[in-house]
Amino acid sequence: MDELSGTVENIIFASDDGRFSVFRLKISGQKSLAPVTISSEPPLEGQEVELRGEWVQHPRFGHQFKATHIKVSAPSSAEGIERFLASGAVAGIGPAMAKRLVAKFGVETLYVIEHEPNRLKDVSGIGKKTAEKIHASYSEQSELREIMLWLETHGVSGTLAGRIYQKYSSFALDVLEREPYRLANEIAGIGFLTADRIAKSLDIGMEDSSRIAAGINFTLQSIASFGHVCIPLSRLIEKSSEILRVDMELIRDTVERLMSESRLFATEANGETLVYPRYLYAAETETARLLRRLNEKADVLDVEDPHFEVESFEKADGIKLAEGQREAIVGALTHGIFVLTGGPGTGKTTVVRGMLAVLERLGLLVKLGAPTGRAAKKLAESTGREALTVHRMLEAQGGTTDDGEEEGFGSFARDEDAPIEGDVIILDEVSMMDIVLMRHFLAAVPEGAHVILVGDVDQLPAVGPGSVLKDILRSNVIPSVRLTEIFRQAEKSMIVMNAHAINSGRMPSCEEGSSFELRECGSPMEAANEIVRLCSYELPMQGIDVMRDVQVLSPMHRMDCGVDNLNRLLQEALNPKTAGKPERKSGTLTYRLGDKVMQTKNDYQKHVFNGDVGFVESLDDDGGILRVRYGEDLTADYKASEMIELSPAYAMSVHKSQGSEYPVIIMPIVMAHRIMMQRNLIYTAITRARERVILIGERRALETAVRNDRTRRRYTLLAERLAGAIDD
C-alpha cells in the first residue's frame, strides 16, 4: 500500500451515515494539497494523519488518494492547533478563543491545556470554570486517542472512536475486546460489517455464535428500515446467509435458539412463518391488545341522543354537515376508539371541530395531539385549542426505554402506571405514526378513555416500521368513517381537485400562472437553477416570505435536484456568506445566523424531535454554541459535537414534510428521480400546500408518478391480530 501523511486542511464531503468522506490533505513537507477519500467519518480540520491506501484516477474528480486506514494524532504546528481547536473538538473553545489561545501559547497550547490548565486563565475570556471545562474536554481526547490506536491496530478506521467513547466512555476498550458485536446493535452508524471486521481481527470465527446472532439481528434491522415489522423465515435465512457467508442450516439453528431465548419471536400466518425482533413483536402485539381493549371497554358516554348533539353543533356553528361528517361525530360519541380518514377538501377539520364542541359541551376533558411539532401546530390553529406532539403528551424523557433495541426512543413519564390525564384524546396525522410510537401512546391512554384517530390513509406511510392507520382500517374491526365528498368551497381549489385526480390515477390540471403549475425544464440542473431563481427573486418580488411561507420538497437526497444540493444552492442564494455574519462549520456543512434548519433525531433532553424546523438564532463564537429557535417558547443549544443532529431545511424530503402545511410548495419532478416516482409520494407532497403548488421539471416524470400506484408491501400482521385471525 501507498503511505501518505499530513495535516487535514478542510472537509469536502461527509455522508450523513458516517460511511464516506472526502477531505483535502496538506502533504507533509510539500505545499501541495491532495484530495483523500475514506469509507468513514472525516477527521477534524487541523489534525495530523497518517494514511495507507492507493492513488487512483477518478473519471470525474481526477487524481485522488483512496485511504483504507487512517491514524490520527494531535496537531503540532500552531496553524494546525488553531484549526483543530476552532473545529469545536474541545468544549468551551470556538474559533475566536482558539485564535487567542494559540496567540498566547503557540505550539505549546495543547500541552498547556492538558498539563497546566491554570495558565488558561491568563487568556481573555477564560475563568476558572471555563478552564476546568476545557481541560476535562481535552483529557477525553487522550482516551479517544487510545481507542483510535486500538482500532487502527485492528484494521478499523480510528475516526469511529468518538462514537464508541461517547457510548461506553472508560469501558470502551473492554467492550471492543470482549463484545465487538455490541457496536452493531448499540451505536448508530456502526453497522455489522464494521463490528465484523473488528471481530475478525480478534480471531473470532466465521461460525461463532455471537457473530451469527449479530448478523441475523443486522438483517432484521435492515428490514425494519424499509418499514417491515417482521420477515418471512425463509427470507431471513436467505438474506442472513448472504451477509454472513455461512450455511443456511446454521442460520436456521441460530434463529431457533434465539427464539427459544425469547430474543426473536415468530408467528404463523397465511401459510408462512414470520419472524420479529423482540421489540417489534412486543409493539405489534401490544398495539393490537390495547386497541381491542379501547374498542371493548371504554366508558359509555352519557349521551341520550348523539344525533341531537350533532344537530345542536350545526345550529350553533351555522353550518350543514354532510351525512358522512354527521356519522363521524356520532361515531366518536358512541365508540371507545374511532377512526376518521379522508383526503383534502373532504371536511376532516370541520368534523374534528364538531367532535371537540360536542365533547366539551358534555363536560369532557379533551386532549389533542399529533406526531410532529408542525402537525400539532396546524391542529392547534385549526381548532383554537392547545395541541401537543405525541412525545410531549407522553412527557418524553432522556435515556432509553427498557428495550434497548428501540433505536431513537427514549423513556416516557406517561405510561400504564402514570397515564395521560384526559377523557378523550384526538390524534391527527396518524398515517405518520409507526408501530412503536403507537404502542407507547396507547399504553398511556387511561382506563375508560376514548381515542379518536384522524389521518389520510392515502399518504405515504410512516418512516418507521408498520402501516398502523392502513392496518387498523384493513382489519374492519375498529369503527371508522372515510370522508369522500369534496365540499363546494374546496372544489374551487386546484390543489384539492388535483390531489384527488392524482389519487385516482389521472393527470392533474397544470395551468401557467395558476395555483397549480408545472414549469418544464430541459435538465435536472436547469430545474435546480429555476427553483433557486423562484425562491431568491420571483416569489420575494410577489411579497412572499420565502423562509417561512415556502417549502421546497424533493423525492431524493442525491443528484442535482436532490435535497442536499438544493439546500446548498438555496443557502447561498437566501443566506449567503457576508462579512461579519457569524457562521459555524459541522463537517461539510456551514451554518449561518438566520439559517433554516431541521432536527433529524429525537433529542429528549432538548425536547426537540425528528422533523422539527427552526432558525439559527445565535452563534456563541467562544463557547462554540449554536442556538436554534423552534417557536415562541422553545430554543435549543447545540455544542459542536451535537450539530450532527441538524440539517439545513431550505429543502427537505417529502417524508420529512408530512404533517406540515405551507402556503407554497415547490417540488422538482425529474426522470433522474424515477426510482421514487410513485403516486402516493406526489399526492403527499402537493397536499402540504395551502395556496400554491409549483412543480419544476419534466411532464413525463409527473406522468410516470401518477401511473405508478405500486407501493412496497410492508410485512405486518397488525390487521390480522386485530381481526382475531392470529392467536397471540
Side-chain angles (χ1 to χ4, degrees):
M1 286 187 174
D2 294 323
E3 295 184 354
L4 193 66
S5 63
T7 304
V8 178
E9 183 73 14
N10 65 301
I11 311 302
I12 300 171
F13 173 78
S15 64
D16 291 339
D17 59 9
R19 295 182 181 181
F20 183 75
S21 60
V22 184
F23 59 91
R24 284 192 183 89
L25 185 76
K26 188 174 183 181
I27 302 172
S28 296
Q30 300 181 26
K31 292 183 179 180
S32 60
L33 298 175
V36 177
T37 67
I38 189 165
S39 297
S40 73
E41 288 185 331
L44 297 168
E45 290 182 9
Q47 284 186 319
E48 294 177 2
V49 297
E50 296 175 15
L51 306 168
R52 281 189 291 150
E54 61 178 338
W55 289 99
V56 297
Q57 186 69 28
H58 191 280
R60 182 177 174 188
F61 300 112
H63 203 50
Q64 55 186 219
F65 191 80
K66 184 178 180 181
T68 54
H69 294 77
I70 181 171
K71 182 179 179 181
V72 182
S73 58
S76 56
S77 70
E79 181 186 2
I81 291 169
E82 182 179 333
R83 188 180 287 113
F84 167 70
L85 293 174
S87 71
V90 179
I93 302 178
M97 182 62 72
K99 186 180 287 293
R100 293 202 294 273
L101 281 165
V102 174
K104 178 73 174 176
F105 302 115
V107 294
E108 299 295 316
T109 301
L110 298 183
Y111 178 87
V112 170
I113 290 173
E114 185 171 10
H115 300 288
E116 301 176 357
N118 282 334
R119 291 178 62 192
L120 296 175
K121 291 183 288 183
D122 296 340
V123 176
S124 171
I126 297 182
K128 182 181 178 183
K129 286 187 177 179
T130 303
E132 290 172 351
K133 178 179 172 183
I134 291 170
H135 170 68
S137 179
Y138 186 73
S139 295
E140 289 181 7
Q141 300 284 333
S142 62
E143 293 194 53
L144 275 175
R145 285 197 291 275
E146 270 191 79
I147 299 168
M148 284 179 182
L149 181 61
W150 190 97
L151 291 170
E152 289 296 334
T153 57
H154 290 81
V156 180
S157 170
T159 56
L160 300 174
R163 275 176 283 174
I164 294 171
Y165 179 80
Q166 189 174 15
K167 176 70 177 178
Y168 305 117
S169 62
S170 298
F171 298 100
L173 290 177
D174 191 54
V175 171
L176 285 166
E177 291 173 351
R178 297 173 183 272
E179 303 174 274
Y181 288 108
R182 282 180 61 184
L183 274 64
N185 296 331
E186 298 175 357
I187 301 181
I190 298 182
F192 169 78
L193 299 179
T194 300
D196 202 37
R197 204 179 315 143
I198 294 171
K200 186 177 180 181
S201 74
L202 296 169
D203 294 325
I204 294 175
M206 293 276 286
E207 297 185 356
D208 185 89
S209 60
S210 64
R211 179 177 187 268
I212 305 299
I216 291 168
N217 187 57
F218 172 66
T219 304
L220 287 168
Q221 286 177 351
S222 301
I223 289 296
S225 71
F226 285 99
H228 303 294
V229 179
C230 51
I231 180 176
L233 175 60
S234 58
R235 284 190 64 190
L236 175 60
I237 292 172
E238 181 183 341
K239 285 184 171 293
S240 298
S241 180
E242 289 174 7
I243 292 165
L244 292 163
R245 301 187 306 282
V246 298
D247 187 74
M248 288 189 185
E249 283 306 309
L250 185 55
I251 305 288
R252 186 183 298 275
D253 291 344
T254 305
V255 169
E256 290 177 359
R257 175 175 63 82
L258 294 173
M259 287 194 288
S260 71
E261 296 171 356
S262 296
R263 292 166 65 186
L264 297 180
F265 289 83
T267 297
E268 300 292 329
N270 304 318
E272 61 184 348
T273 302
L274 292 146
V275 181
Y276 295 75
R278 180 176 58 198
Y279 80 104
L280 289 178
Y281 180 80
E284 187 174 273
T285 54
E286 275 296 284
T287 297
R289 182 185 69 81
L290 293 165
L291 285 168
R292 287 197 301 267
R293 186 192 75 178
L294 277 168
N295 198 33
E296 296 164 3
K297 297 185 177 180
D299 292 342
V300 176
L301 297 181
D302 186 18
V303 184
E304 289 186 13
D305 185 354
H307 294 279
F308 173 77
E309 297 293 342
V310 176
E311 289 171 7
S312 299
F313 164 69
E314 288 181 290
K315 288 178 183 176
D317 224 45
I319 59 172
K320 185 169 180 61
L321 299 173
E323 186 56 38
Q325 291 179 305
R326 292 193 197 95
E327 184 186 344
I329 299 177
V330 169
L333 295 174
T334 54
H335 299 290
I337 182 163
F338 184 78
V339 178
L340 171 66
T341 186
T346 56
K348 291 196 304 295
T349 300
T350 300
V351 172
V352 171
R353 286 196 293 104
M355 290 173 174
L356 262 173
V358 172
L359 292 166
E360 288 178 343
R361 191 161 62 240
L362 295 171
L364 299 170
L365 176 60
V366 184
K367 292 289 182 74
L368 300 177
T372 67
R374 298 192 304 278
K377 183 180 179 183
K378 177 182 162 188
L379 180 61
E381 290 171 349
S382 65
T383 59
R385 305 288 194 281
E386 181 186 49
L388 302 175
T389 64
V390 176
H391 289 93
R392 290 189 174 93
M393 189 179 284
L394 296 176
E395 297 179 22
Q397 310 292 309
T400 58
T401 55
D402 292 338
D403 194 332
E405 291 173 287
E406 291 188 25
E407 185 179 334
F409 279 84
S411 59
F412 298 96
R414 295 293 179 181
D415 55 17
E416 296 95 328
D417 299 322
I420 299 164
E421 295 175 2
D423 302 309
V424 182
I425 304 169
I426 301 176
L427 284 192
D428 198 7
E429 298 287 358
V430 175
S431 63
M432 298 176 66
M433 288 187 67
D434 63 34
I435 193 72
V436 179
L437 184 57
M438 181 59 80
R439 177 257 188 117
H440 283 296
F441 164 71
L442 292 172
V445 173
E447 193 76 33
H450 289 234
V451 170
I452 300 164
L453 304 176
V454 183
D456 185 347
V457 75
D458 293 318
Q459 286 187 23
L460 288 169
V463 175
S467 302
V468 177
L469 181 60
K470 186 175 288 187
D471 285 350
I472 290 173
L473 293 169
R474 187 164 62 87
S475 73
N476 292 316
V477 170
I478 306 300
S480 65
V481 164
R482 179 165 188 158
L483 302 177
T484 56
E485 181 181 340
I486 302 173
F487 284 87
R488 190 167 298 169
Q489 60 269 31
E491 288 178 350
K492 299 174 184 177
S493 166
M494 286 186 69
I495 296 171
V496 170
M497 300 310 295
N498 280 335
H500 287 277
I502 289 169
N503 210 26
S504 301
R506 293 179 283 112
M507 276 290 285
S509 173
C510 306
E511 299 176 11
E512 186 176 345
S514 70
S515 61
F516 198 108
E517 58 181 311
L518 170 63
R519 298 190 181 186
E520 296 193 56
C521 292
S523 70
M525 197 64 244
E526 188 181 330
N529 289 334
E530 174 63 10
I531 290 170
V532 173
R533 192 193 68 80
L534 260 173
C535 292
S536 60
Y537 177 73
E538 183 175 326
L539 295 179
M541 289 291 287
Q542 296 171 10
I544 295 172
D545 183 345
V546 172
M547 296 289 266
R548 285 173 169 77
D549 294 339
V550 176
Q551 185 59 56
V552 177
L553 305 180
S554 178
M556 296 180 71
H557 278 268
R558 294 177 291 121
M559 304 185 192
D560 290 337
C561 281
V563 170
D564 297 339
N565 189 50
L566 289 173
N567 268 319
R568 283 191 288 271
L569 295 174
L570 288 166
Q571 183 193 41
E572 286 308 310
L574 301 177
N575 193 24
K577 180 181 179 67
T578 57
K581 179 182 287 186
E583 60 179 41
R584 181 69 33 75
K585 276 200 165 190
S586 175
T588 58
L589 299 173
T590 299
Y591 293 105
R592 299 178 185 131
L593 196 64
D595 268 339
K596 185 177 182 180
V597 296
M598 177 168 55
Q599 177 77 12
T600 60
K601 62 180 287 188
N602 295 333
D603 191 315
Y604 298 91
Q605 275 84 23
K606 291 183 175 65
H607 300 290
V608 291
F609 302 99
N610 191 354
D612 286 354
V613 173
F615 293 88
V616 176
E617 183 178 75
S618 65
L619 289 163
D620 176 1
D621 202 29
D622 281 348
I625 300 295
L626 178 148
R627 174 169 292 171
V628 177
R629 177 162 292 280
Y630 287 100
E632 291 181 9
D633 56 354
L634 178 62
T635 61
D637 290 346
Y638 297 81
K639 296 183 291 187
S641 60
E642 297 173 322
M643 284 169 59
I644 194 172
E645 297 180 6
L646 294 173
S647 73
Y650 297 95
M652 67 177 68
S653 69
V654 179
H655 257 118
K656 289 288 189 184
S657 74
Q658 282 184 270
S660 62
E661 193 176 61
Y662 298 89
V664 182
I665 288 294
I666 300 173
M667 183 176 176
I669 184 157
V670 294
M671 289 304 292
H673 290 169
R674 59 185 172 277
I675 192 172
M676 294 294 293
M677 288 290 101
Q678 59 189 51
R679 189 181 299 173
N680 62 350
L681 182 135
I682 301 298
Y683 174 80
T684 301
I686 69 171
T687 53
R688 302 307 93 212
R690 281 199 306 271
E691 300 169 11
R692 192 173 175 186
V693 170
I694 307 173
L695 304 178
I696 311 288
E698 302 167 71
R699 183 172 294 275
R700 64 181 180 134
L702 180 58
E703 291 169 348
T704 297
V706 172
R707 283 197 306 267
N708 182 13
D709 195 28
R710 297 190 304 274
T711 54
R712 188 181 288 116
R713 177 193 172 187
R714 291 191 170 193
Y715 284 105
T716 160
L717 295 175
L718 178 61
E720 287 77 4
R721 293 185 195 281
L722 282 171
I726 296 172
D727 294 325
D728 297 328

